Amino acid sequence: MIVPMKKVSLVLLKKEQKQALEQLRKVGVLHLENLEGTGEKLATLKDAHDKMSIALSILGELTKAAKKAPAQAKKLSDDELIALSKKVVESIDQKKALNDAIAANVAELDRFVEWGQIDPADFTYLHEKGIHFTLYEIPKDKWNLIGEDVKVLLVNHGKSQAHFLVVNDTADAPRPEGLPPEAYAVPMPRCSSKELTDEIAAARKQIADIDAENVARVPYIPAIKAADKRLLGDITFENVYSGMEKEDEDVSSSLAWLSGFVPIDAIDTLKKAAKDNHWAIAIDDPSEEDSVPTKLKNNKFVSLIYPLTDFLGTVPGYHEYDISGWFLFFFTIFFGMIFGDGGYGALLTLLVVVMMLKTKSKGQKVGAGLQLGLLLGLATIVWGTVTCTWFGLSMDVLPEWLKTFSVHPLSNAYVDYYASKPGSTTVTQNLQIFCFSLALIQLTVAHLHGIGRYIKSLRCLGEFGSMFMLWGMFYIVLSVVVSGEIFPLTLVVAGIPVGTVAEALIAVGFVLNFVFANYEGSIGQSILASVKGIISVILGVVNVFSDIVSYIRLWAVALAGAAISNTVNTMAGPMIGKAVLFLALVLLLVVGHGLNIMLNVLSVVVHGVRLNTLEFSSHLGMSWSGFKYEPFSETANK
């Protein structure tokens, strides 16, 4: 359930602001409205946090190199750790500058690689003696175009260029007229080739020293992380402290105030704190305009879904539904169907059990994530048993007792039996019907939620209309997708014209939805709203069809996974029994099935989650627009 919230405003003396915030943080129940703090202290804290985050990222990349070094770290204060982090960040800037200098010097050396050793000091000396040279290059095939009146000294012929010196009468002599356009003057290097080489070597040594210093700082990573968490707490506190609204008067009676949200079951705790600390407190219900945080409260079993929703960052809005229980129920089914293989489920279950035992052996509590993994692994085993799917093995190698335990209409072991049965649905068709039935059940649950929400309003008739369209469209899907022969629109069962009833449900549902879906106290206004959005209303009927059909992905994705498993087994078949190929066989099976398992995990995230957060949620009218309840507390950043 979504815990009801109260909006609370606190007023206190400005001079007691810091002490009040310390007490409020100890109470730890008030989720503060957004505050934008300012000030030099806050900016300094944020800068230190940025530096520590960057330093952790830099040092994290050096952990492998640090394994060769002794893991020794002195105990440092938070200020010393901040200073260390700044040095790490500055070292990267230094490395960048050194690498840029190396690149520039290497480019300079490359420019004169065919000239040999060049020293500008030599040319300066000759200039002082009245001998003036200018460096030139020209394509070798243009060398003979140089005029005879030009005084030149050939240095050498390179791969494509001729390198030569032009003898000038003065230091500022113009370009000789006898030089062809292809000849171009070569700028003098900044320093000698030897000095450039020495600078490159020195810069590389500096970089190596910087890397060695940072490797030696790797053992401080845990301390930096701990200090950064404390720093985040200081940032939160300072942001609140500097962002609180206050009176401008700097007198002892000046006031400061803030507001936020408190769960209804914690309101008495805050009231007591306000009384003990002499704060003025105002409590009210949140308005529709308020941005209220969401706090979910469920039993331990339903709470198993939280690791997944936290990972996805999906939080229902305060005025939406808590579908945690339904999410867990259907996601467990979807997971088992998409993985689809009892063998994979057994591997997953075994892995989770080993991790749980390892956690318990350390005296730690088994987290909800591992418990969820165990549930999903067992669900996969159940579905693999139902369909008789085990590591993609063919039916002729599976023991009979596994086939007996399977549910025959859905079992791979009875594909031929149902295919040869006249007038009966095949195993494939039964699996499709099962997928569509899941759609019918889940989407019906969504509309039942809507009916319950609007039960005191005529708007609930609009939800009934949507549900009727869903039921009628279910049979249309069976007729169009599964089999028009087995599920014809003219079908009559026990005197009931099933196809006609389905069409009537769609028609009646459309009318009810058209008239009452937008009801807000006036039927006329509701109909007018539907007329204005007539295109969306009509497309809504089509969407019901597509939403039901969308659940066929559960069968299709599982079918793709089974095909990959089968392919891996087929490739491995010729290697079985050959000792020389044993390692290749093991490698193929491990890599092949391992890749398939990873693809299945991705499929679960893409498809299994989608059906809950898109199809199911759209019929609920949910947008997952909420954000988590995070009270101002001492443990917020721990």
Side-chain angles (χ1 to χ4, degrees), residues 461 464-466 468-469 503-514:
L461 295 178
F464 271 111
S466 296
F468 291 162
M469 283 194 291
E503 292 171 345
L505 283 170
I506 295 173
V508 172
F510 178 81
V511 172
L512 287 173
N513 187 263
F514 185 87

Side-chain angles (χ1 to χ4, degrees), residues 123 126-127 129-136 149-153 164-179 185-186 188:
F123 288 88
L126 292 173
H127 281 313
K129 300 298 183 182
I131 303 172
H132 311 291
F133 290 115
T134 305
L135 283 65
Y136 275 89
D149 58 329
V150 182
K151 297 177 183 179
V152 299
L153 292 175
F164 63 98
L165 302 175
V166 172
V167 184
N168 301 309
D169 295 330
T170 62
D172 56 352
R175 177 189 175 96
E177 295 182 0
L179 279 179
V186 178
M188 194 68 66

